[in-house]
Amino acid sequence: MSSWAPTKYKTKNWPSYNTALKQRGSLSIWFDPEMVWTPP
């Protein structure tokens, strides 16, 4: 039985790819100023 491997794509049209990423949406990161964070 063969193992599954993800399909690999090569981007040939970078300007179109970048435009599509911009149109996809935004990523919002929320920070809580009252949260206490201590590094491990």
Side-chain angles (χ1 to χ4, degrees), residues 2-18:
S2 63
S3 64
W4 178 83
T7 305
K8 295 181 181 179
Y9 298 97
K10 287 191 176 184
T11 302
K12 296 179 181 178
N13 188 353
W14 284 103
S16 176
Y17 178 75
N18 288 335

Side-chain angles (χ1 to χ4, degrees), residues 18-34:
N18 288 335
T19 302
L21 287 178
K22 291 177 187 176
Q23 291 176 351
R24 188 178 292 179
S26 65
L27 173 66
S28 298
I29 300 175
W30 294 81
F31 293 97
D32 184 2
E34 296 177 5

